[in-house]
Amino acid sequence: SIAGVIFAMEVLLTDITIPLFIPLLISTATSIIVSKLLYSGQLFYLITNDWYYHAIPFYVLLGVICGFLSVYMTRVSLFIEEKMEGRKDSYLKALGGGLLLGGMIFLFPPLFGEGYTTVTSLLGGSYQEIVSNSLFISFRDNPWVLLLIVLLIILVKPVATALTLGSGGNGGIFAPSLFTGAMAGFGLAFLVNLMGISSLHINNFVAVGMAGIMAGVIHAPLTAIFLIAEITGGYVL
């Protein structure tokens, strides 16, 4: 994939030369063939045929929001992981982290796992799935409550990620970045449409939000752009 090549150039091989570039292309093409043999599906599906010029200011606004959220995610994650690393009792750390994480998931079920199911629902227009199987399901038809829950999930997700890693769980920042970005893009577009300011394609903003948070967190904007385009099939966007 193009994203794989760019990721290697942006993050791993910053001093890349032509002799290194050719085997990089070969290895990337080989990995794509192997992945297609093992998995024929697509991670996400972006249903879009076009985008409108009038939406550009809102994309810029989403970029600014993603920048601040990226800083928030990074600092919160590092702070919590640093605090938990200082604790010696690994059993107590695992128990405490697990209980806190379980409480967060009980309140906000979309925090469970990677969050890809929620992202797929947002891209498909099933926004009410955010509150399904939660204490807030009775508010699923209240758009303002839905927006508030989205905001809370965005703020809590970095804490949940850091608790998972700090208490001994497995994971990374890739999936949380996609999830948080999708929620941020959805929240902005949904709010703009709800207030009647403009008419935005929410699924487009979900995809762009994923790229925005990933770019800010891993400091690789080109990788984020091409990766999201590839995993959503959204090269038109």
Side-chain angles (χ1 to χ4, degrees):
S1 66
I2 298 175
V5 176
I6 294 177
F7 175 75
M9 295 173 61
E10 271 192 315
V11 179
L12 302 178
L13 305 172
T14 54
D15 297 325
I16 193 169
T17 59
I18 295 300
L20 290 176
F21 188 69
I22 294 174
L24 176 61
L25 290 174
I26 295 174
S27 63
T28 302
T30 303
S31 67
I32 287 296
I33 294 173
V34 173
S35 67
K36 290 297 182 183
L37 291 174
L38 297 177
Y39 177 68
S40 58
Q42 183 170 306
L43 185 56
F44 303 123
Y45 290 91
L46 176 60
I47 305 172
T48 184
N49 295 316
D50 55 10
W51 61 280
Y52 300 122
Y53 292 104
H54 76 260
I56 290 179
F58 299 103
Y59 284 120
V60 174
L61 177 60
L62 178 59
V64 174
I65 293 173
C66 287
F68 282 108
L69 285 178
S70 299
V71 175
Y72 170 75
M73 285 187 66
T74 303
R75 292 188 177 182
V76 168
S77 298
L78 292 177
F79 175 78
I80 294 177
E81 289 181 42
E82 182 181 349
K83 291 296 182 182
M84 296 193 73
E85 284 178 1
R87 300 191 175 276
K88 304 298 182 182
D89 193 334
S90 58
Y91 292 101
L92 185 60
K93 181 167 60 175
L95 179 61
L99 287 173
L100 289 172
L101 186 61
M104 293 177 184
I105 294 174
F106 177 75
L107 289 174
F108 307 111
L111 295 176
F112 180 75
E114 301 116 338
Y116 292 159
T117 302
T118 302
V119 175
T120 301
S121 297
L122 293 178
L123 288 172
S126 302
Y127 313 136
Q128 293 177 332
E129 291 297 319
I130 295 173
V131 294
S132 294
N133 304 314
S134 74
L135 298 175
F136 310 104
I137 191 170
S138 59
F139 298 100
R140 62 184 305 169
D141 295 323
N142 188 321
W144 295 106
V145 174
L146 185 64
L147 275 174
L148 177 60
I149 293 172
V150 167
L151 176 60
L152 292 175
I153 290 175
I154 290 173
L155 296 177
V156 172
K157 181 62 176 179
V159 179
T161 301
L163 283 174
T164 301
L165 300 176
S167 59
N170 294 323
I173 200 65
F174 178 82
S177 297
L178 295 184
F179 176 82
T180 306
M183 296 294 280
F186 163 76
L188 175 62
F190 190 78
L191 176 62
V192 170
N193 291 349
L194 184 62
M195 297 181 67
I197 299 174
S198 184
S199 179
L200 304 178
H201 290 181
I202 292 180
N203 48 4
N204 286 2
F205 276 76
V206 170
V208 172
M210 288 194 288
I213 294 293
M214 181 180 295
V217 171
I218 68 175
H219 296 176
L222 289 177
T223 298
I225 292 170
F226 281 94
L227 180 64
I228 299 305
E230 289 181 353
I231 66 177
T232 61
Y235 274 108
V236 173
L237 177 61

